[in-house]
Amino acid sequence: QVQLVESGGGLVQAGGSLRLSCVASGGILSIFDMAWYRQVPGNQRELVAAITSGGSTNYVDSVKGRFSISRDNAKNTVYLQMNSLKPEDAAIYYCNADVRTITWHRSVYWGQGTQVTVSS
């Protein structure tokens, strides 16, 4: 059973930084794209950043130059370094991974989310 577990969320002042981590585990053969999404209650979930297995990245315009996504393939882990945080970045952040399991099943999995709060 594939599981994604996020960590690193919390409360930070505007202008501060946080680093989110997401570890995937459980019968994984390979991981394709990994991504971070965020959601504010009442709004749709928004793609923040994504990274391919080869390391190519893309970002939503609102975080370009402030956030950086990276991954450690040996550890099945994806990171989101968030700098110069703004109150509008506050949300629940979810990681997402496109995984092929050892049973050759392929699916997209989600973590449980980690809360990021930014005080002004």
Side-chain angles (χ1 to χ4, degrees):
Q1 183 77 6
V2 176
Q3 288 188 315
L4 274 62
V5 179
E6 300 106 333
S7 62
L11 172 63
V12 64
Q13 287 189 332
S17 298
L18 284 174
R19 189 191 194 209
L20 306 183
S21 300
C22 172
V23 181
S25 63
I28 294 171
L29 181 62
S30 59
I31 303 178
F32 302 98
D33 293 355
M34 303 184 82
W36 287 96
Y37 286 72
R38 64 188 179 188
Q39 187 172 25
V40 175
N43 289 3
Q44 287 191 332
R45 195 169 291 189
E46 170 190 45
L47 175 64
V48 176
I51 184 167
T52 68
S53 57
S56 297
T57 60
N58 68 277
Y59 300 90
V60 66
D61 285 347
S62 60
V63 308
K64 286 180 180 177
R66 300 188 297 121
F67 289 13
S68 178
I69 188 171
S70 60
R71 63 190 284 173
D72 184 333
N73 291 330
K75 296 181 179 179
N76 290 339
T77 300
V78 63
Y79 305 98
L80 185 67
Q81 178 66 44
M82 304 187 294
N83 299 327
S84 302
L85 281 159
K86 303 176 180 180
E88 53 263 42
D89 294 317
I92 300 174
Y93 283 70
Y94 298 89
C95 72
N96 161 295
D98 182 0
V99 175
R100 186 179 296 285
T101 67
I102 57 175
T103 60
W104 209 247
H105 175 72
R106 181 172 176 175
S107 186
V108 174
Y109 296 87
W110 291 88
Q112 81 288 350
T114 186
Q115 178 74 51
V116 171
T117 304
V118 184
S119 63
S120 57

